Amino acid sequence: MTDDEIMEIYRGWDDKTYAAIKEYVSMFHQPWPVYGPHDIELIECCIKKKMSIDDLLTDDEIYDKYYKDIIY
């Protein structure tokens, strides 16, 4: 999928979240999880650390904030 095709998934999302996800997609060329947290703080953290959400370390403070209570 191209970045533009990926961004079609997020059409209609609020402008700030869409912009953050667009920056993420431009950097990693992969989608942000549709059913995961959509908090701009988490998206921007991944961009700042240059780590996709899948590569974010599980002992990272921000990871714990959004994922520690999720049971798989």
Side-chain angles (χ1 to χ4, degrees):
M1 289 177 93
T2 67
D3 290 354
D4 289 336
E5 290 171 330
I6 292 171
M7 289 311 299
E8 282 295 312
I9 298 168
Y10 310 102
R11 190 178 348 155
W13 289 34
D14 70 89
D15 291 343
K16 288 182 180 183
T17 304
Y18 185 89
I21 290 174
K22 185 171 185 166
E23 187 176 351
Y24 177 90
V25 169
S26 294
M27 180 177 275
F28 299 108
H29 309 289
Q30 64 183 33
W32 182 262
V34 175
Y35 297 107
H38 305 126
D39 295 84
I40 295 170
E41 177 187 33
L42 179 58
I43 299 167
E44 288 178 346
C45 176
C46 289
I47 293 166
K48 182 180 175 185
K49 292 182 178 198
K50 296 181 177 157
M51 298 179 86
S52 75
I53 187 68
D54 295 329
D55 296 330
L56 196 60
L57 302 175
T58 56
D59 62 351
D60 191 294
E61 223 174 87
I62 195 87
Y63 185 94
D64 278 348
K65 181 176 179 179
Y66 289 98
Y67 287 103
K68 76 175 183 178
D69 294 327
I70 295 176
I71 300 170
Y72 295 96

